[in-house]
Amino acid sequence: MRTGLGRRWNADFLTPTPTGRGEPGFEEEVARVRATPPGAARADLTVSLGGTLPATLDRDDLPQRAAALLEWVWTRAVRPHWPRRLRVLEADVVARTARLSRGGWAAALDGMRPGMRWLGESRLQINTHDHPPREISGAQLFFVPVTPSRGWVSWEEPHRYAVVYPCSGALADADRTTAPHALVALLGRGRAGVLVLLDTPKSTTQLVALTGQGLGSVGRHLKVLLDARLVRRRRAGRAVLYYRTAAGDVLVNAQASEGN
């Protein structure tokens, strides 16, 4: 059963659990929805609705119609903005991986979704509902970021489980960060964008995900900013983090003030 809103639940067949076989495309995911046995789809929706299934949904082509609706939503509402959303998702994964290397599971997982926290001793609380604990030793556990404000859990017992969580904090809004016009004129759009993002330490991989620029471009921008002493770098575990110097802060803040 998947967590949902209030007393409602997501229909299981509409939210298939990741398989772990690389990065699936939308076509592969929706094919799994379409392949759901009609009886299973009706049963899932009955639980989701918390009562009797309406006559309009009590049909054998329910999985096919649901898949067609998902394809329509993907084509019209998601795919046009997918590159931007993907950058946000990638940035969240990179940031949480960095937190894991610095502070362990608690730093990476606490607050990932409402009520979720690391309890220690290989125990994870995923919500505050009064449900009995599950033993999933030996199973795959996936953490999947999404851009909507709510998440859910899913599983295909006994081998696969997933926690789907909303991106949060600065990373969710990182694509909305813009450099002041005067700073862009001075440094160029790409380099100014990198400097603005370094108000908090970030790795090269994070900057690539947040800016949408290539690794080579970000590396060249960082070298120029380092040579100009506008940024510094330090090692954090296996990662190298870049951050603005006092001079970099003054430059960004001065140009931002001029633009107001």
Side-chain angles (χ1 to χ4, degrees):
M1 199 69 60
R2 280 67 169 171
T3 58
L5 303 177
R7 298 180 179 178
R8 301 296 179 90
W9 307 84
N10 291 336
D12 288 9
F13 81 102
L14 294 175
T15 55
T17 304
T19 63
R21 296 192 298 267
E23 182 179 337
F26 173 78
E27 292 76 12
E28 178 183 337
E29 294 287 338
V30 80
R32 295 173 63 190
V33 174
R34 186 177 288 108
T36 304
R42 288 195 293 267
D44 288 349
L45 276 178
T46 300
V47 174
S48 173
L49 295 173
T52 304
L53 190 67
T56 53
L57 297 177
D58 189 5
R59 51 196 305 156
D60 287 341
D61 64 347
L62 180 59
Q64 289 75 25
R65 292 175 69 89
L69 177 59
L70 290 174
E71 288 174 330
W72 186 92
V73 172
W74 163 257
T75 302
R76 301 296 183 90
V78 180
R79 188 168 62 185
H81 312 289
W82 182 241
R84 178 183 62 82
R85 290 175 181 265
L86 182 60
R87 288 198 298 273
V88 175
L89 300 178
E90 290 172 340
D92 187 276
V93 171
V94 170
R96 291 191 184 276
T97 301
R99 292 175 196 168
L100 176 63
S101 66
R102 293 195 300 270
W105 286 110
L109 301 180
D110 283 2
M112 181 177 278
R113 59 193 306 269
M116 182 165 164
R117 62 192 182 99
W118 178 250
L119 301 177
E121 299 180 352
S122 300
R123 296 177 302 148
L124 174 64
Q125 175 181 298
I126 61 171
N127 58 45
T128 56
H129 297 311
D130 187 20
H131 296 318
R134 288 175 176 263
E135 172 61 51
I136 62 171
S137 297
Q140 293 176 301
L141 176 60
F142 300 94
F143 297 99
V144 185
V146 291
T147 52
S149 60
R150 293 182 181 271
W152 60 89
V153 296
S154 68
W155 53 75
E156 292 180 3
E157 295 182 301
H159 304 297
R160 287 193 295 272
Y161 298 78
V163 176
V164 182
Y165 67 92
C167 292
S168 60
L171 289 178
D173 297 321
D175 61 315
R176 302 187 184 101
T177 301
T178 57
H181 294 300
L183 190 64
V184 170
L186 179 66
L187 300 178
R189 185 170 302 280
R191 194 165 301 150
V194 168
L195 185 61
V196 167
L197 285 170
L198 291 178
D199 56 333
T200 58
K202 293 180 177 66
S203 68
T204 305
T205 305
Q206 284 177 274
L207 291 169
V208 169
L210 290 169
T211 64
Q213 301 180 47
L215 180 61
S217 296
V218 169
R220 287 190 292 273
H221 295 325
L222 287 172
K223 183 179 186 308
V224 172
L225 295 172
L226 282 166
D227 290 343
R229 298 183 181 180
L230 296 176
V231 304
R232 290 193 180 123
R233 61 186 173 189
R234 61 179 173 83
R235 183 167 291 279
R238 296 183 179 180
V240 176
L241 301 179
Y242 295 83
Y243 58 98
R244 285 202 306 254
T245 63
D249 285 337
V250 169
L251 180 60
V252 171
N253 294 332
Q255 300 301 327
S257 299
E258 288 295 326
N260 292 332

